[in-house]
Amino acid sequence: MSTPLRQLALQGAAVILVLSLAWPYFGWRAEAMPWLETSLVIGAVALAFATLMRQPWWWRLIHAAFMPLAWATAQLAIDPGWFLLAFILLLLVYRGALSGQIPLYLSNRQTLAALDQLIAREDAGRILDLGAGLGSVLIPLADAWPERQFTGAENAPASWLLSRLLGIGRPNLDLRWGDLWQTPLAGQDLVYAFLSPAPMEQLWQKARAEMRPGSLFVSNDFPVPGVAPSERIEVPDAPPLYCYRI
């Protein structure tokens, strides 16, 4: 079961357990359901389930707060159309978080400077950014290295469209809308990724299978589980870069 479905099932189990006890009890007493108190109990049960399943602390917090926040939001009587609009906008920007547990991360200037030095040291002619986001890495690098080819892959429509607009006028920059798993890595001298811990093991297998010997796979902040990097580059006031020589 994928992570979103697993979390939904956990929250659903808490709801079913509490309501299966609360509805008969208050029905037998002919009393109205106290929805505030019920939502708090559901949150407590969901927290207990998440703890028993050894979920990370942020998932435990989400499960504990989800139903009480849902009750509080319902009291505002907001038109449902606004929720639909918010969902669509979030999906356009954070599609990767839903489909592959890959949120939108933006690399800072210190990381950009470290990548610039790494490109120079490796004499990399073809550079690929998996999860290019708004182009905050590739656009300045393409400006700094006009003789080198930069390619980015981004699956969130709004982020990709904005990066395309920001990257106009750079012939050495190719920003593609597509899934990183369908993006070929062959022929790239350096592949950069700033994703999340979730896809790293599978992505490393893809890199080993497709990248040529001697090329470099670089992950910002998230190392490949169980694999020692060939080099770890410390970046001031930023996460380290983990470099893996193919």
Side-chain angles (χ1 to χ4, degrees):
M1 186 184 295
S2 66
T3 295
L5 289 178
R6 184 165 61 247
Q7 306 304 336
L8 184 62
L10 190 154
Q11 188 70 214
V15 171
I16 292 172
L17 176 61
V18 172
L19 293 186
S20 65
L21 297 175
W23 262 329
Y25 175 78
F26 288 102
W28 177 74
R29 293 172 59 93
E31 296 179 5
M33 181 82 76
W35 285 108
L36 172 58
E37 291 79 2
T38 301
S39 68
L40 293 173
V41 173
I42 292 174
V45 172
L47 173 61
F49 284 170
T51 302
L52 290 174
M53 293 180 64
R54 298 181 179 179
Q55 296 280 347
W57 68 267
W58 61 85
W59 273 119
R60 301 184 194 186
L61 181 63
I62 291 172
H63 281 297
F66 181 80
M67 196 54 65
L69 287 176
W71 175 87
T73 304
Q75 306 312 300
L76 301 176
I78 300 173
D79 189 288
W82 290 108
F83 291 104
L84 177 61
L85 177 61
F87 172 78
I88 293 174
L89 292 176
L90 288 172
L91 184 63
L92 290 174
V93 177
Y94 295 101
R95 180 186 172 191
L98 179 63
S99 60
Q101 304 177 61
I102 303 172
L104 176 64
Y105 290 126
L106 300 179
S107 301
N108 59 23
R109 294 181 179 179
Q110 293 89 332
T111 300
L112 185 62
L115 286 172
D116 182 77
Q117 295 175 10
L118 193 57
I119 290 171
R121 190 193 75 183
E122 294 290 316
D123 194 23
R126 299 178 62 86
I127 298 92
L128 171 64
D129 184 358
L130 294 174
L134 304 178
S136 57
V137 166
L138 291 185
I139 292 174
L141 287 178
D143 290 337
W145 300 97
E147 73 283 4
R148 304 174 193 257
Q149 181 62 41
F150 295 86
T151 304
E154 174 59 47
N155 76 339
S159 300
W160 167 78
L161 180 59
L162 183 56
S163 69
R164 288 281 293 183
L165 294 174
L166 293 173
I168 288 176
R170 296 170 176 86
N172 63 328
L173 178 61
D174 181 15
L175 294 166
R176 305 171 182 175
W177 179 26
D179 183 71
L180 66 89
W181 304 112
Q182 304 301 320
T183 301
L185 309 184
Q188 301 294 335
D189 299 313
L190 188 151
V191 173
Y192 171 72
F194 188 16
L195 303 175
S196 80
M200 292 311 302
E201 184 174 358
Q202 184 180 354
L203 184 57
W204 171 239
Q205 298 304 321
K206 176 178 172 65
R208 290 182 61 194
E210 299 181 19
M211 295 178 67
R212 63 169 179 78
S215 57
L216 199 64
F217 174 71
V218 181
S219 175
N220 185 346
D221 197 11
F222 307 112
V224 177
V227 180
S230 55
E231 181 183 7
R232 170 175 164 149
I233 300 176
E234 300 296 336
V235 182
D237 301 319
L241 297 178
Y242 296 92
C243 303
Y244 300 86
R245 185 75 63 183
I246 304 300

